[in-house]
Amino acid sequence: MPKLLILLLALSSVSAIAQAGAASTKKEVDNAYPEAHALYVDLHENPELSGHEIRTAAKLASGLRSLGYEVTEHIGGTGIVAILKNGDGPVVMLRTELDALPVEEKTGLPYASKVHAQNDSGEDVPVMHACGHDLHMAALMGTAAVMAGSKETWRGTLILIGQPAEETVAGAKGMIDDGLLKRFPKPDVAVALHVGNGLSAGEVGVVAGYMSTNADTLRITIYGKGGHGAAPQTTVDPIVIAARTILALQTIVSREVRPGETAVITVGFVHAGTKDNIIPDQAELGLTVRSFKPEVRKQLLAAIARITRAEAEAAGAPREPLIEHRESTDAVFNDPELAHRLKGVLESAIGKDNVVNSEPHSASEDFSYYVEQGIPSFYFDLGGADPQKHAQAVETGVSLPSNHSSLFAPDVDPALRTAITAEVAVLRNLLHGSAADLRKSISPQSGVKQPAR
Ligand SMILES: [Zn+2]
Ligand SMILES: [Zn+2]
């Protein structure tokens, strides 16, 4: 037989196997879909705030138990861990968040949330799954069902976690502090996805390397000397210092950071003063600072401190400003080797045209806490936009509602089906062979803790 013909036959049988695989997965996903969709609607109608995901966690725990998973509840508060062991092989973790947001839903959907709850300050707030975590949970349950029903297709240990309080960046840390990685097998790889309107439902997006930003929250207190608004010569006006500081801070990104690097400095609030004819004693600024690279992060934080102190000194302030580092989250770093490999896996599962190269996000994510613990990560984007509306948005330049909007409403049917198909494909690919082989295939720089800030 001519070599070319042998090659063609071999190639066509490979693609036939891939097609047969995709067809059988479609059937498995179709079988799991109705229950996953019903769960989605139920969770969407009954959202719970960060750290208060009691009903949500119980619902997932009982569902996973009935599928044969070994479930432990109350890890780091309301967190759950579900394990399915299936012989020797790698340990792979898939994570969903459990929490919703204090947003009043305005989607007009028949299953829109009407829930109100008390927040941690005791105020009554509306609650909505405005970030799509309900879709992530429904996908995880669909995936759990497919994996439990097809143990001949994979080997190793599958760990599914329901993580509380992602929106307050407390849940991942809470679960790790409560022994997630000591009481249960430590994952060789951690996987998660996030739905958004940046891509059409039916598509997924992959980024190799930095996927989300480092986020730092700063509180700056500028001290002046208060007095009568008509006698400025007796005062040091902290409002004027604050104004100059805010403008000078905006020169860090534009003048100090190398063009092309990602860096954001936003002053999100200014609090000062009580009355028009009083010069106050102090002014407060609230900042969020975003970056990808650790060295850029260090540069931004150092420049903010330098400029803030120098502006106060230039004005003759009686005290150096106080700069408090309130919160910080590291960037999520996707292992590049894993990302390349799994991009191919996703292309076979949902079609080459449906897998795009995503842009890194300027949002932040506490999935980075798992990466920080030395677990290589694959965190990918799931399209949520109605394809027609998405095309229209691209044409007109008017964006669709983003995550956290009161109008955020993913196109559930294609998005949820795609999520389950994608998760199953990724897990099956990772859960075969030996753990050592999987680890060997991962880049050495993956899972390296970022330098201290
Ligand atoms: Zn969110
Ligand atoms: Zn989210």
Side-chain angles (χ1 to χ4, degrees):
M1 208 185 291
K3 269 188 187 151
L4 183 65
L5 189 60
I6 296 173
L7 182 68
L8 284 174
L9 279 174
L11 282 176
S12 69
S13 72
V14 167
S15 83
I17 291 166
Q19 272 172 19
S24 70
T25 308
K26 187 183 174 307
K27 216 170 145 201
E28 292 173 283
V29 175
D30 284 347
N31 288 339
Y33 188 78
E35 232 174 282
H37 183 262
L39 177 69
Y40 172 78
V41 171
D42 178 64
L43 293 170
H44 192 86
E45 280 182 315
N46 296 288
E48 293 176 300
L49 289 172
S50 304
H52 301 273
E53 310 89 338
I54 294 162
R55 178 188 184 275
T56 308
K59 191 110 198 165
L60 256 60
S62 81
L64 289 164
R65 245 179 225 125
S66 69
L67 288 169
Y69 288 73
E70 202 180 296
V71 180
T72 311
E73 294 178 75
H74 311 296
I75 308 291
T78 55
I80 60 167
V81 177
I83 297 185
L84 194 59
K85 289 191 177 139
N86 189 20
D88 285 341
V91 179
V92 178
M93 179 174 101
L94 173 68
R95 174 266 218 167
T96 179
E97 319 86 325
L98 303 173
D99 55 339
L101 286 158
V103 171
E104 185 178 352
E105 178 154 3
K106 294 180 183 155
T107 59
L109 289 166
Y111 51 87
S113 162
K114 295 179 190 70
V115 171
H116 276 243
Q118 273 201 354
N119 67 13
D120 290 335
S121 317
E123 296 151 351
D124 178 78
V125 290
V127 191
M128 171 188 176
H129 268 298
C131 203
H133 298 174
D134 45 357
L135 200 139
H136 305 167
M137 288 186 265
L140 179 131
M141 287 299 289
T143 298
V146 174
M147 295 301 283
S150 61
K151 284 174 115 174
E152 70 289 354
T153 64
W154 60 278
R155 280 178 70 77
T157 300
L158 174 59
I159 304 183
L160 306 176
I161 68 164
Q163 181 209 301
E166 187 281 322
E167 297 290 358
T168 53
V169 203
K173 186 173 184 302
M175 289 189 80
I176 292 167
D177 289 349
D178 202 9
L180 174 67
L181 305 174
K182 297 199 177 92
R183 291 161 61 185
F184 308 96
K186 186 169 176 179
D188 295 304
V189 173
V191 178
L193 55 69
H194 208 298
V195 66
N197 274 339
L199 298 174
S200 286
E203 292 179 335
V204 299
V206 176
V207 179
Y210 288 110
M211 171 73 194
S212 71
T213 55
N214 299 302
D216 294 279
T217 306
L218 303 182
R219 183 70 55 87
I220 297 177
T221 309
I222 294 166
Y223 300 101
K225 185 180 162 207
H228 202 292
Q233 76 282 8
T234 66
T235 72
V236 177
D237 188 343
I239 293 184
V240 174
I241 305 174
R244 278 206 296 250
T245 305
I246 292 165
L247 290 179
L249 291 178
Q250 293 310 324
T251 64
I252 298 172
V253 174
S254 68
R255 304 289 81 184
E256 296 191 29
V257 175
R258 197 170 69 85
E261 296 289 1
T262 296
V264 178
I265 296 177
T266 294
V267 179
F269 73 73
V270 190
H271 291 164
T274 52
K275 194 173 183 304
D276 41 38
N277 63 355
I278 301 171
I279 291 169
D281 284 327
Q282 62 186 59
E284 274 189 12
L285 310 180
L287 277 70
T288 187
V289 182
R290 306 295 170 108
S291 56
F292 287 122
K293 295 184 183 164
E295 60 270 25
V296 174
R297 179 188 214 173
K298 223 170 137 186
Q299 183 189 11
L300 295 174
L301 295 175
I304 290 167
R306 188 192 77 234
I307 288 174
T308 304
R309 290 193 190 114
E311 286 293 349
E313 200 190 333
R319 263 176 78 185
E320 196 173 81
L322 175 68
I323 303 173
E324 295 167 277
H325 207 153
R326 288 284 176 99
E327 268 173 22
S328 64
T329 315
D330 286 350
V332 172
F333 183 81
N334 269 345
D335 179 85
E337 299 292 331
L338 262 185
H340 290 307
R341 160 175 168 177
L342 295 173
K343 188 175 179 220
V345 169
L346 289 168
E347 285 173 349
S348 313
I350 63 167
K352 205 169 180 343
D353 293 345
N354 292 322
V355 182
V356 302
N357 291 317
S358 276
E359 291 291 320
H361 298 225
S362 62
S364 298
E365 214 333 318
D366 70 358
F367 193 69
S368 58
Y369 281 87
Y370 308 114
V371 187
E372 255 187 55
Q373 300 299 313
I375 304 171
S377 127
F378 181 62
Y379 185 100
F380 62 106
D381 282 327
L382 176 74
D386 175 308
Q388 234 177 333
K389 287 186 190 158
H390 185 256
Q392 230 171 38
V394 170
E395 207 183 292
T396 58
V398 181
S399 312
L400 291 169
S402 62
N403 297 67
H404 293 202
S405 158
S406 58
L407 298 172
F408 183 72
D411 192 2
V412 179
D413 191 335
L416 181 52
R417 264 180 220 280
T418 307
I420 300 170
T421 311
E423 285 177 351
V424 167
V426 164
L427 293 177
R428 279 183 181 155
N429 180 271
L430 294 170
L431 287 163
H432 83 273
S434 72
D437 284 344
L438 177 58
R439 268 183 242 127
K440 247 187 271 162
S441 71
I442 293 168
S443 340
Q445 73 263 43
S446 189
V448 174
K449 194 167 168 26
Q450 295 223 1
R453 29 186 190 275

